[in-house]
Structure formats: C-alpha cells, structure tokens
Amino acid sequence: MTDISVGNGQGITQAIASKLGLSKTDCKNIKASTWQSVMTLVNQANTSNVQNRKGSIFTGGNNVNSITNKESWKSNFTVQAGQTMQIDDSIFGKIKQLLTAATDSASQAAATVQTQQAAEASQASQTTQTQKAEQSEPVVKSPGVVDSSGVYRTQTPVLVADTPLEGDAKTGKAAADTLDNMLKTGTGEINFTSEEWRELAAKPNKTPEEVQKLNTEYNNNIQKLGNSMTKYISESFANGGDIDSAAFMKFQNNGAMNLDGLTAEEKAMLETSNQTAFNRIDVNGDGKIDNKEMTAFMHALDFDDKNRMGGVIKAEDYYNCASQLDDPNENLLDTKINYCYNKLYGSDEE
C-alpha cells in the first residue's frame, strides 16, 4: 500500500501531487480530464479498500466530473488534514503514470483513453458500417487456461457451444479469472479470434461475402464468450438461476458476502458501487442480466482507444472499461454497451 499524507488545506489531488513532488505549475498543466481519470482510480482504490475492510479513503460523494467545481469540495471526495490515505501500489502506479506522462506505451495508452473519452463518446455512436465489417473474428475455444503471463490461452480448436445461446461454464470461469488478473497485474488478454479470421480482417478490398463472413463469425463467437460468462456466474453464484443484483454482487466479490466489520457507510458504498455496475449491464432494466446483456458487455470490452474492435479483449482496454463500470454518471461504456446490444440483437425484445 502507498501511504499519502493530507496536509492542511489539501484535497486528494493536492495530496497526491505533493506525494509525487509535482509543482503548482506542473499541476496547472495537467488537464482536468486527466485529474478526473486520477480520481476514477482513487475511487477504485477506495472500493477495493472497503471490500478488504481497510477503511475508506474519503467521505462524501465520488463524482469525478465535479472535482473542478469548488462548491462540491466539502461534500465530494472529502478528506481531513492529518489523514493518511492508503492506495494499493498497483493503482497508485497507474496514477503516477497518468500524472508524470510516462513514456512507456502502456501508460500513454491509458492516458490517451482517459483524456479522449468525451470526444470518443460521440464517435462511438457514429461507427460506420465499414468499421463494423473490420471486426476481428472470434473463435472461442474450450476450456482454456490462464498462463503464467496472465494470457488466456485456448487449448483445443473446439468451440464452446453449438449455438449462440449455449455456453461452457469452465470457459466462463477462465475468462472471468483473466479479467480479474488484468485488473490486478495490468497484463493478460482474452483472444477469441482465429488466425484465419485475422488474416481475412486485414485483407484490403474485401468482398461483400467476406465482410459477411467476418461479421457472422464475430457475432457468433462473442455470443459464445458472453454466454459462457453468464453460465459460470449463474452456476457459481445464483444456484443455476437468474443473475440478479445479489448474485452479481457475490460474483463481484468472489463469493465473499460476509460484510461484518465494515461500517454502515462502507457497506452502503460497496452496495451502491455494485448496483451501479449491475444496472449498467442490465440494458433492459428487468432486474437480471441475461445472455444478451452479458454478451453486449463482453462485446463492449473489445474496443481500443480509437473505438476499433479487434476480436481480442486486452488488459488496457478492459481496465478503462472497468474504471467506468461503477461510475454513477453516464459515460462512454454506456454508449458502447448499448451500441453492441443493438448491433447484435436490434432494439426489439423477444
């Protein structure tokens, strides 16, 4: 854990800046959107602390979009002079990368995604048919393993299901473990595309038949991945039934539902965070996450910082989506999930 002392008159951003040795000039040159990204990470660290019973980092609200509004400072992300904030080392490392503009490509990608979110939100809703056709084709294979580097490796060329509405819980667990590893280590990927598909996707001047082939294979396999996740969560956390908010919270907390030792405020924050994430994935708002909605969410994870889909969920792309998942405000992830849902299933319900 990284300890950060809060000095007199300081808020969270000022305390972090002091910890990193940033001057007032340095801070003025950092865009507001970057500070919002930093506070998104602080909020993630706070959620982690609450889940692990290490106490809250701040009190009050957690609206990252209002951090530049002085009127909110007494009620939003509130800390006290003399307080020591504890932030997980891996999360603080990402905060440092954002604020010091590290030259390594991973940190640059993270900073770029965060600072371009507002512009990309409008671009995502205007994705052209050509971009849809360029999606990378998936062949999800079963059962799959996570190797020592955190990459989800498929073992056999067998699809996880014969139809898009079936899934393999073992593949779902492997995918869930890989996503968890991405957040903890910043490494790993879920590659649900075949080499043949990638070669075709990279081919210029594709025929209409080839474009259709790419789209059909991609859609079928992303559904198989989403349905595998649904089946795993249902079997492991809902006794084989519907994935309601309670089952989803168990999944989010790896089944650890004993909240003894948490304060009432910490329990409320944890429940609010999980409910926000659940509501975001529950597209039709019926109080449960079904195959279609989980598939749309998994599909939404397959976007890079230019809103291109490549048939592989990478750590940096998942991290940026995860940081938006429990954001109470409408954000780019909402745009992506709804776009993916409508693309796969249209707006009509069965």
Side-chain angles (χ1 to χ4, degrees):
M1 301 292 287
T2 298
D3 292 339
I4 304 172
S5 299
V6 179
N8 290 328
Q10 287 187 329
I12 293 179
T13 57
Q14 294 165 316
I16 290 174
S18 297
K19 178 71 174 182
L20 295 174
L22 300 179
S23 66
K24 291 184 178 180
T25 300
D26 292 331
C27 294
K28 289 180 179 180
N29 290 332
I30 297 173
K31 295 181 179 180
S33 57
T34 299
W35 285 117
Q36 289 172 341
S37 300
V38 168
M39 296 307 291
T40 298
L41 291 169
V42 170
N43 189 46
Q44 179 185 334
N46 187 65
T47 299
S48 176
N49 283 8
V50 170
Q51 291 174 336
N52 292 291
R53 305 176 188 176
K54 295 181 180 179
S56 299
I57 294 174
F58 57 85
T59 59
N62 62 345
N63 184 357
V64 298
N65 295 317
S66 68
I67 61 171
T68 58
N69 181 1
K70 292 184 178 180
E71 294 179 359
S72 72
W73 289 359
K74 292 183 179 181
S75 60
N76 195 50
F77 287 107
T78 303
V79 291
Q80 302 297 323
Q83 173 184 338
T84 298
M85 301 184 296
Q86 289 192 318
I87 297 179
D88 181 82
D89 290 337
S90 64
I91 295 178
F92 187 73
K94 292 169 185 175
I95 291 174
K96 182 177 180 180
Q97 288 175 347
L98 284 172
L99 295 180
T100 59
T103 57
D104 65 279
S105 59
S107 63
Q108 286 181 358
T112 299
V113 170
Q114 296 293 341
T115 56
Q116 291 179 348
Q117 284 181 357
E120 291 173 347
S122 61
Q123 294 173 3
S125 62
Q126 300 172 1
T127 303
T128 64
Q129 187 62 39
T130 300
Q131 288 174 316
K132 299 176 189 177
E134 296 299 329
Q135 300 168 358
S136 291
E137 166 25 3
V139 177
V140 181
K141 302 172 185 180
S142 174
V145 296
V146 181
D147 69 13
S148 59
S149 63
V151 177
Y152 175 61
R153 303 288 188 186
T154 54
Q155 294 178 301
T156 66
V158 179
L159 294 177
V160 299
D162 294 328
T163 71
L165 295 182
E166 295 178 359
D168 183 327
K170 290 183 179 179
T171 298
K173 184 180 188 307
D177 289 344
T178 302
L179 293 175
D180 184 57
N181 183 73
M182 289 180 188
L183 286 181
K184 291 179 178 178
T185 69
T187 62
E189 64 180 32
I190 298 176
N191 185 341
F192 57 98
T193 60
S194 67
E195 188 63 32
E196 178 184 4
W197 191 94
R198 288 175 176 274
E199 291 176 358
L200 180 57
K203 176 185 174 183
N205 303 318
K206 288 181 278 294
T207 66
E209 292 75 16
E210 289 172 330
V211 170
Q212 183 60 45
K213 175 179 172 62
L214 288 173
N215 285 335
T216 298
E217 291 180 348
Y218 184 100
N219 292 346
N220 285 343
N221 284 279
I222 193 63
Q223 288 182 81
K224 291 168 185 175
L225 177 60
N227 296 337
S228 294
M229 285 286 292
T230 303
K231 190 166 187 178
Y232 163 61
I233 297 173
S234 173
E235 290 184 1
S236 300
F237 304 103
N239 295 319
D242 293 334
I243 303 174
D244 58 15
S245 59
F248 182 76
M249 186 171 179
K250 290 181 181 179
F251 165 66
Q252 288 285 81
N253 294 286
N254 296 315
M257 290 298 293
N258 183 1
L259 303 182
D260 293 342
L262 297 183
T263 66
E265 182 181 16
E266 290 170 338
K267 290 180 182 178
M269 288 178 61
L270 181 59
E271 291 173 358
T272 298
S273 174
N274 281 284
Q275 188 64 52
T276 299
F278 176 85
N279 292 342
R280 180 159 275 124
I281 300 174
D282 180 19
V283 176
N284 62 15
D286 66 353
K288 62 182 180 182
I289 295 174
D290 59 22
N291 281 325
K292 290 182 177 181
E293 291 162 333
M294 181 60 72
T295 295
F297 174 60
M298 298 303 291
H299 192 346
L301 302 182
D302 179 25
F303 283 79
D304 64 13
D305 61 348
K306 295 182 180 179
N307 285 316
R308 298 173 301 192
M309 293 164 282
V312 56
I313 300 172
K314 298 181 179 179
E316 61 199 51
D317 301 324
Y318 175 59
Y319 177 79
N320 287 299
C321 287
S323 67
Q324 300 168 49
L325 186 57
D326 62 355
D327 180 359
N329 305 291
E330 185 173 353
N331 57 46
L332 180 57
L333 185 56
D334 294 296
T335 302
K336 290 179 178 179
I337 292 175
N338 284 292
Y339 162 74
C340 292
Y341 188 94
N342 290 327
K343 171 185 171 295
L344 289 166
Y345 309 111
S347 57
D348 295 330
E349 292 292 323
E350 292 184 347

